Every structure is written in C-alpha cells, then in structure tokens.
Amino acid sequence: MDLGQQFEGQGYVVLNKIFEKNEIDQITHIVDRIYGQWREENHHALVEQQLINMHSLTHPKYFADHSHERLQFFNLMASAKLTEALECMSGREIYFHNTQLFFNPYQNGKQPYWHRDLQYSPIDDAVQAAEQHNMLSLHARIPLVAEKGVELIPKSHIRWDTALERNVRFELNGHQNHESLPDSVLIELEPGDVLIFSAQMIHRGNYALNPVRKALDLCLGSPHPLVSGFLDAAGLPSDQELEQIDNHQWYTLAKCVSANTVANTIG
Ligand SMILES: O=C(O)CCC(=O)C(=O)O
C-alpha cells in the first residue's frame, strides 16, 4: 500500500527514519532555546492551567538575538524527504500553517482528552462535519525524544462521531473526555520518525507512559477558507529568508494564502 492509500484509509501514516540524527540534534537545539524562553514567560499559566503545548515557534520574538537560527529552522523543518513524502501522500500542494510543541502537563496533573482540533475553534461542530471531506489539515509530528505519545482513532478522519465518541469528546450525559474509546491505536515513535495524521481525526496525547515528552508538530495542510483565517503571517519567513530556503514550497503557498486572506478581509 502506498502512502496515499494508507493515509486515505487510516487517517495517519508513520514515516520511519525520515530525519538524520544530526538534523534532530539541530532542531532540538533550536526548540530547547525557544521552549526555555516560553517557559520563563509562561510559568504561571504552565502550572495553573496545566498547559500541554505551546505554538508559533517560528515567531520573530523567539529569534531576537538568533536571527540566523530562524532560517536554519525553516530549512530543517521543510526537509526534502519530508516535503516529498507529504506531496506523494496527499497529491496536493501543501502549505505551512504553524508549529506546536507538545509536552506533559506540570506534574502530570491532568488527563489526556479526546478531541478533533477544530473543536476548540468558534466553528460549529456541524459545519466541521459537513466540510470534513473538503479539508486536509495535518500534523507532522517530529518527536525529539522517543514517545508513545499520541493515540488515534483510525478512520475517524472520514466519518463523524459515534454516539459514544460524541458523548466523550463533549463530556455529555455523564461522560468524561479522558475515558477510553474503542479501536484506538497508540503510536510509538523514535527520534527521526515522523507521524503524519489528520488534525480532524479523533485523537489525544498520552502522558502516563512517557516520563518526558517533547514533540514538535508542524501544522500543515491544503488551503481551506475555514482555517486560512487562522494563519498568522508573523510565523512565516520574510521574503529575504524565503529566497534562502531550499524547499520553500510550503512557505511560498502559505504566504499566498496569507496575502489572499488579507486581501479578502480588506475587500
Ligand atoms: O500530544 C498531545 O498531547 C496531543 C496531541 C494533539 O492533540 C495534537 O497534536 O493536536
């Protein structure tokens, strides 16, 4: 089965050994510095709200004294192997939407919760369900330490919820969003591997089996009006940086999406 068939059938694919050790080391070096800055600035929320992720790691505020690292980071993420695999898997032009870093909540004081990513957006669940087949929103997870860190419900990217899944996701009728759900798979990854999964399939993290987690997720996809408005141009390369990125297609398309969104807002 090829990558496209695997993804269409299951909603995810695991690409083994896509990154070399030295690439993971370079990504880790940059991510650790950003994560350290973010933790200092967000210590209170990290503890009080039991945060499990941060986002927008490419924002210029993380590169004030390290401008060369921003270009290096864009180049590392859009590696030739990964951009080619994504193109081969989706058969579509892919744009770069954002980045997130996933880690365990402070002192593991929170349970992982099942969700579809747009569940926390203002977009109504019925609209999400109706548009599901027209959307391609992806996470490309680059684990920086080995993890059994994410649990997925295969095929939930091509259908909407069963009654139980709905009750659990929205904590209805006495259910809680951390209850076990049938047919889930827990994905095991080593540094160098990449997990690509649909952001709109039902998924949750796993904290208990992982003493430490540090997974860089690239949020990628095919442009769609429901999500294009969430793209923050501040996280994209400048025109000058773009010229120095080897595989710049994700970023070039992102800049077009951003420019069109602004033009439509003004128009
Ligand atoms: O790894 C996690 O904690 C959850 C992952 C997740 O929710 C996501 O990637 O959208």
Side-chain angles (χ1 to χ4, degrees):
M1 221 191 317
D2 69 21
L3 284 183
Q5 287 169 329
Q6 273 182 50
F7 180 79
E8 267 175 43
Q10 302 299 313
Y12 71 96
V13 296
V14 176
L15 308 169
N16 292 117
K17 299 192 172 88
I18 276 273
F19 284 102
E20 305 288 338
K21 182 174 179 316
N22 86 76
E23 293 173 311
I24 294 298
D25 289 347
Q26 290 179 62
I27 294 174
T28 301
H29 178 79
I30 297 169
V31 165
D32 280 352
R33 188 184 54 70
I34 295 167
Y35 185 27
Q37 178 180 332
W38 179 86
R39 276 202 314 258
E40 270 181 29
E41 292 167 359
N42 294 278
H43 182 71
H44 186 71
L46 187 72
V47 174
E48 290 302 311
Q49 296 167 33
Q50 293 278 324
L51 299 180
I52 58 142
N53 65 29
M54 61 166 291
H55 62 84
S56 304
L57 283 83
T58 56
H59 194 284
K61 70 183 171 190
Y62 295 118
F63 297 90
D65 299 319
H66 301 83
S67 54
H68 65 286
E69 276 190 359
R70 192 164 189 254
L71 179 59
Q72 185 190 1
F73 196 25
F74 283 126
N75 260 314
L76 284 162
M77 290 186 285
S79 80
K81 278 191 191 167
L82 187 56
T83 50
E84 276 163 28
L86 258 283
E87 201 179 299
C88 173
M89 187 199 91
S90 68
R92 303 201 215 175
E93 276 196 288
I94 295 294
Y95 82 103
F96 171 91
H97 188 90
N98 206 343
T99 46
Q100 289 181 290
L101 185 73
F102 284 89
F103 38 81
N104 281 355
Y106 185 72
Q107 296 182 342
N108 276 8
K110 170 178 183 167
Q111 303 252 44
Y113 50 95
W114 292 109
H115 62 281
R116 299 181 189 263
D117 272 9
L118 285 179
Q119 169 168 347
Y120 304 107
S121 75
I123 303 165
D124 191 83
D125 196 61
V127 175
Q128 293 178 39
E131 278 304 303
Q132 175 84 331
H133 296 286
N134 299 321
M135 295 181 71
L136 182 71
S137 293
L138 301 169
H139 277 243
R141 167 157 296 203
I142 304 171
L144 303 179
V145 293
E147 65 165 43
K148 289 180 188 164
V150 71
E151 201 175 352
L152 309 169
I153 310 281
K155 302 185 171 59
S156 59
H157 68 306
I158 39 175
R159 60 165 180 80
W160 216 243
D161 302 9
T162 62
L164 175 63
E165 288 166 351
R166 183 174 170 74
N167 282 333
V168 168
R169 248 186 350 116
F170 292 105
E171 304 204 297
L172 304 173
N173 302 312
H175 287 271
Q176 292 186 299
N177 59 15
H178 58 78
E179 286 173 31
S180 297
L181 283 176
D183 305 320
S184 68
V185 294
L186 182 62
I187 308 290
E188 188 165 0
L189 301 170
E190 292 292 327
D193 299 341
V194 174
L195 165 68
I196 299 172
F197 66 97
S198 162
Q200 282 295 81
M201 74 193 300
I202 303 176
H203 63 280
R204 68 172 173 178
N206 183 295
Y207 318 144
L209 295 176
N210 301 279
V212 176
R213 279 194 323 148
K214 193 166 57 180
L216 174 66
D217 280 23
L218 314 186
C219 306
L220 306 167
S222 183
H224 187 284
L226 273 188
V227 289
S228 297
F230 299 132
L231 176 62
D232 180 3
L236 302 179
S238 66
D239 291 343
Q240 271 176 339
E241 285 168 329
L242 195 67
E243 283 173 15
Q244 299 172 72
I245 298 175
D246 299 327
N247 297 299
H248 54 80
Q249 61 269 39
W250 292 352
Y251 307 118
T252 301
L253 185 54
K255 286 172 85 75
C256 288
V257 171
S258 171
N260 286 340
T261 308
V262 172
N264 289 341
T265 313
I266 295 168

Tab-separated table of all heavy atoms in Angstrom, residues 98-125:
chain	number	residue	atom	x	y	z
A	98	ASN	N	1.508	26.447	10.874
A	98	ASN	CA	2.067	26.862	12.165
A	98	ASN	C	2.899	25.701	12.736
A	98	ASN	O	3.046	24.661	12.086
A	98	ASN	CB	0.948	27.238	13.135
A	98	ASN	CG	1.397	28.234	14.200
A	98	ASN	OD1	2.584	28.417	14.427
A	98	ASN	ND2	0.452	28.882	14.860
A	99	THR	N	3.367	25.910	13.952
A	99	THR	CA	4.071	24.837	14.680
A	99	THR	C	3.516	24.783	16.093
A	99	THR	O	3.043	25.788	16.629
A	99	THR	CB	5.579	25.145	14.806
A	99	THR	OG1	5.706	26.498	15.217
A	99	THR	CG2	6.321	24.920	13.519
A	100	GLN	N	3.594	23.607	16.694
A	100	GLN	CA	3.257	23.444	18.106
A	100	GLN	C	4.302	22.528	18.721
A	100	GLN	O	4.858	21.663	18.038
A	100	GLN	CB	1.890	22.775	18.268
A	100	GLN	CG	0.714	23.657	17.885
A	100	GLN	CD	-0.608	22.933	18.100
A	100	GLN	OE1	-0.913	21.999	17.373
A	100	GLN	NE2	-1.357	23.337	19.092
A	101	LEU	N	4.525	22.715	20.017
A	101	LEU	CA	5.394	21.788	20.751
A	101	LEU	C	4.535	21.147	21.839
A	101	LEU	O	3.887	21.849	22.611
A	101	LEU	CB	6.563	22.549	21.376
A	101	LEU	CG	7.588	21.651	22.072
A	101	LEU	CD1	8.428	20.890	21.040
A	101	LEU	CD2	8.521	22.472	22.978
A	102	PHE	N	4.530	19.815	21.869
A	102	PHE	CA	3.734	19.083	22.878
A	102	PHE	C	4.646	18.506	23.949
A	102	PHE	O	5.719	17.969	23.647
A	102	PHE	CB	2.915	17.966	22.214
A	102	PHE	CG	1.718	18.513	21.481
A	102	PHE	CD1	1.825	18.890	20.144
A	102	PHE	CD2	0.501	18.684	22.119
A	102	PHE	CE1	0.736	19.422	19.465
A	102	PHE	CE2	-0.595	19.222	21.451
A	102	PHE	CZ	-0.476	19.581	20.123
A	103	PHE	N	4.195	18.658	25.196
A	103	PHE	CA	4.954	18.146	26.349
A	103	PHE	C	3.942	17.687	27.394
A	103	PHE	O	2.725	17.854	27.207
A	103	PHE	CB	5.873	19.252	26.908
A	103	PHE	CG	5.254	20.631	26.899
A	103	PHE	CD1	4.382	21.031	27.893
A	103	PHE	CD2	5.512	21.522	25.845
A	103	PHE	CE1	3.801	22.298	27.858
A	103	PHE	CE2	4.921	22.783	25.803
A	103	PHE	CZ	4.065	23.176	26.821
A	104	ASN	N	4.426	17.119	28.489
A	104	ASN	CA	3.500	16.658	29.523
A	104	ASN	C	3.046	17.823	30.391
A	104	ASN	O	3.810	18.767	30.601
A	104	ASN	CB	4.180	15.614	30.418
A	104	ASN	CG	4.217	14.252	29.762
A	104	ASN	OD1	3.656	14.049	28.686
A	104	ASN	ND2	4.886	13.306	30.391
A	105	PRO	N	1.840	17.733	30.930
A	105	PRO	CA	1.397	18.792	31.854
A	105	PRO	C	2.216	18.753	33.148
A	105	PRO	O	2.739	17.696	33.519
A	105	PRO	CB	-0.068	18.428	32.120
A	105	PRO	CG	-0.192	16.990	31.786
A	105	PRO	CD	0.834	16.678	30.749
A	106	TYR	N	2.305	19.901	33.794
A	106	TYR	CA	3.067	20.040	35.029
A	106	TYR	C	2.652	18.960	36.027
A	106	TYR	O	1.470	18.820	36.348
A	106	TYR	CB	2.803	21.438	35.594
A	106	TYR	CG	3.618	21.774	36.810
A	106	TYR	CD1	4.983	22.026	36.717
A	106	TYR	CD2	3.009	21.851	38.065
A	106	TYR	CE1	5.726	22.347	37.830
A	106	TYR	CE2	3.753	22.175	39.192
A	106	TYR	CZ	5.108	22.421	39.063
A	106	TYR	OH	5.841	22.733	40.180
A	107	GLN	N	3.607	18.210	36.480
A	107	GLN	CA	3.406	17.117	37.440
A	107	GLN	C	2.284	16.154	37.018
A	107	GLN	O	1.613	15.566	37.865
A	107	GLN	CB	3.128	17.674	38.841
A	107	GLN	CG	4.336	18.442	39.369
A	107	GLN	CD	4.147	18.991	40.770
A	107	GLN	OE1	3.026	19.107	41.260
A	107	GLN	NE2	5.248	19.344	41.406
A	108	ASN	N	2.080	16.052	35.710
A	108	ASN	CA	1.043	15.174	35.139
A	108	ASN	C	-0.310	15.312	35.856
A	108	ASN	O	-1.001	14.325	36.109
A	108	ASN	CB	1.509	13.705	35.149
A	108	ASN	CG	2.374	13.397	33.935
A	108	ASN	OD1	2.745	14.303	33.180
A	108	ASN	ND2	2.686	12.142	33.727
A	109	GLY	N	-0.653	16.570	36.147
A	109	GLY	CA	-1.879	16.802	36.923
A	109	GLY	C	-3.131	16.901	36.071
A	109	GLY	O	-4.100	17.537	36.480
A	110	LYS	N	-3.116	16.315	34.902
A	110	LYS	CA	-4.268	16.421	34.000
A	110	LYS	C	-4.299	15.157	33.153
A	110	LYS	O	-3.242	14.565	32.884
A	110	LYS	CB	-4.022	17.659	33.146
A	110	LYS	CG	-4.898	17.907	31.982
A	110	LYS	CD	-4.420	19.232	31.394
A	110	LYS	CE	-5.240	19.699	30.245
A	110	LYS	NZ	-4.953	21.089	29.916
A	111	GLN	N	-5.459	14.754	32.728
A	111	GLN	CA	-5.602	13.541	31.904
A	111	GLN	C	-5.663	13.929	30.422
A	111	GLN	O	-6.250	14.954	30.090
A	111	GLN	CB	-6.918	12.848	32.239
A	111	GLN	CG	-7.064	12.482	33.696
A	111	GLN	CD	-6.943	10.984	33.874
A	111	GLN	OE1	-6.061	10.361	33.275
A	111	GLN	NE2	-7.809	10.410	34.669
A	112	PRO	N	-5.127	13.091	29.527
A	112	PRO	CA	-5.251	13.404	28.093
A	112	PRO	C	-6.710	13.329	27.640
A	112	PRO	O	-7.443	12.469	28.115
A	112	PRO	CB	-4.442	12.307	27.408
A	112	PRO	CG	-3.798	11.494	28.454
A	112	PRO	CD	-4.420	11.816	29.776
A	113	TYR	N	-7.099	14.195	26.751
A	113	TYR	CA	-8.517	14.345	26.378
A	113	TYR	C	-8.703	14.146	24.877
A	113	TYR	O	-7.944	14.678	24.070
A	113	TYR	CB	-9.037	15.734	26.799
A	113	TYR	CG	-8.130	16.857	26.341
A	113	TYR	CD1	-8.365	17.544	25.149
A	113	TYR	CD2	-6.990	17.197	27.082
A	113	TYR	CE1	-7.516	18.544	24.716
A	113	TYR	CE2	-6.126	18.194	26.645
A	113	TYR	CZ	-6.401	18.859	25.471
A	113	TYR	OH	-5.529	19.836	25.032
A	114	TRP	N	-9.727	13.374	24.531
A	114	TRP	CA	-10.032	13.124	23.116
A	114	TRP	C	-10.588	14.400	22.481
A	114	TRP	O	-11.431	15.072	23.086
A	114	TRP	CB	-11.096	12.034	22.985
A	114	TRP	CG	-10.626	10.674	23.396
A	114	TRP	CD1	-10.998	9.992	24.517
A	114	TRP	CD2	-9.728	9.813	22.674
A	114	TRP	NE1	-10.374	8.759	24.553
A	114	TRP	CE2	-9.598	8.625	23.435
A	114	TRP	CE3	-9.031	9.934	21.484
A	114	TRP	CZ2	-8.793	7.570	23.020
A	114	TRP	CZ3	-8.223	8.877	21.075
A	114	TRP	CH2	-8.115	7.709	21.839
A	115	HIS	N	-10.178	14.654	21.260
A	115	HIS	CA	-10.697	15.841	20.549
A	115	HIS	C	-10.416	15.734	19.055
A	115	HIS	O	-9.626	14.892	18.614
A	115	HIS	CB	-10.068	17.124	21.101
A	115	HIS	CG	-8.568	17.194	20.917
A	115	HIS	ND1	-7.681	16.523	21.744
A	115	HIS	CD2	-7.800	17.819	19.991
A	115	HIS	CE1	-6.439	16.743	21.350
A	115	HIS	NE2	-6.480	17.522	20.272
A	116	ARG	N	-11.096	16.576	18.311
A	116	ARG	CA	-10.724	16.929	16.934
A	116	ARG	C	-10.234	18.364	17.047
A	116	ARG	O	-10.821	19.157	17.815
A	116	ARG	CB	-11.941	16.847	15.997
A	116	ARG	CG	-12.577	15.432	15.899
A	116	ARG	CD	-13.748	15.460	14.934
A	116	ARG	NE	-14.543	14.232	14.944
A	116	ARG	CZ	-14.413	13.220	14.074
A	116	ARG	NH1	-13.506	13.288	13.112
A	116	ARG	NH2	-15.202	12.170	14.144
A	117	ASP	N	-9.164	18.732	16.308
A	117	ASP	CA	-8.506	20.009	16.609
A	117	ASP	C	-9.437	21.219	16.561
A	117	ASP	O	-9.341	22.098	17.411
A	117	ASP	CB	-7.306	20.246	15.672
A	117	ASP	CG	-6.017	19.632	16.240
A	117	ASP	OD1	-6.091	18.886	17.245
A	117	ASP	OD2	-4.947	19.893	15.670
A	118	LEU	N	-10.331	21.281	15.569
A	118	LEU	CA	-11.158	22.484	15.440
A	118	LEU	C	-12.259	22.576	16.500
A	118	LEU	O	-12.992	23.560	16.547
A	118	LEU	CB	-11.785	22.569	14.037
A	118	LEU	CG	-10.840	22.979	12.917
A	118	LEU	CD1	-11.588	23.006	11.583
A	118	LEU	CD2	-10.211	24.339	13.173
A	119	GLN	N	-12.334	21.558	17.334
A	119	GLN	CA	-13.321	21.552	18.422
A	119	GLN	C	-13.164	22.789	19.323
A	119	GLN	O	-14.121	23.245	19.924
A	119	GLN	CB	-13.077	20.258	19.191
A	119	GLN	CG	-13.749	20.101	20.473
A	119	GLN	CD	-13.616	18.634	20.942
A	119	GLN	OE1	-13.239	17.738	20.182
A	119	GLN	NE2	-13.950	18.408	22.176
A	120	TYR	N	-11.929	23.314	19.399
A	120	TYR	CA	-11.691	24.461	20.279
A	120	TYR	C	-11.723	25.785	19.520
A	120	TYR	O	-11.331	26.808	20.054
A	120	TYR	CB	-10.355	24.274	21.023
A	120	TYR	CG	-10.365	22.972	21.782
A	120	TYR	CD1	-9.612	21.882	21.348
A	120	TYR	CD2	-11.201	22.794	22.878
A	120	TYR	CE1	-9.667	20.665	22.016
A	120	TYR	CE2	-11.271	21.583	23.539
A	120	TYR	CZ	-10.502	20.528	23.104
A	120	TYR	OH	-10.580	19.326	23.756
A	121	SER	N	-12.206	25.749	18.274
A	121	SER	CA	-12.347	26.973	17.484
A	121	SER	C	-13.818	27.415	17.546
A	121	SER	O	-14.668	26.652	17.999
A	121	SER	CB	-11.964	26.685	16.022
A	121	SER	OG	-13.019	25.965	15.398
A	122	PRO	N	-14.124	28.592	17.064
A	122	PRO	CA	-15.535	29.030	17.065
A	122	PRO	C	-16.383	28.328	15.987
A	122	PRO	O	-17.586	28.568	15.896
A	122	PRO	CB	-15.451	30.533	16.758
A	122	PRO	CG	-14.008	30.887	16.722
A	122	PRO	CD	-13.200	29.637	16.606
A	123	ILE	N	-15.761	27.465	15.175
A	123	ILE	CA	-16.508	26.841	14.062
A	123	ILE	C	-17.412	25.743	14.606
A	123	ILE	O	-16.945	24.812	15.262
A	123	ILE	CB	-15.533	26.264	13.007
A	123	ILE	CG1	-14.615	27.369	12.488
A	123	ILE	CG2	-16.296	25.612	11.863
A	123	ILE	CD1	-13.398	26.851	11.740
A	124	ASP	N	-18.688	25.850	14.287
A	124	ASP	CA	-19.684	24.909	14.802
A	124	ASP	C	-19.346	23.462	14.393
A	124	ASP	O	-18.858	23.224	13.282
A	124	ASP	CB	-21.049	25.315	14.219
A	124	ASP	CG	-22.159	24.573	14.911
A	124	ASP	OD1	-22.559	25.029	15.988
A	124	ASP	OD2	-22.584	23.518	14.369
A	125	ASP	N	-19.627	22.533	15.282
A	125	ASP	CA	-19.308	21.124	15.023
A	125	ASP	C	-20.001	20.613	13.755
A	125	ASP	O	-19.412	19.841	12.991
A	125	ASP	CB	-19.738	20.284	16.243
A	125	ASP	CG	-19.098	18.904	16.241
A	125	ASP	OD1	-17.852	18.830	16.279
A	125	ASP	OD2	-19.845	17.904	16.166
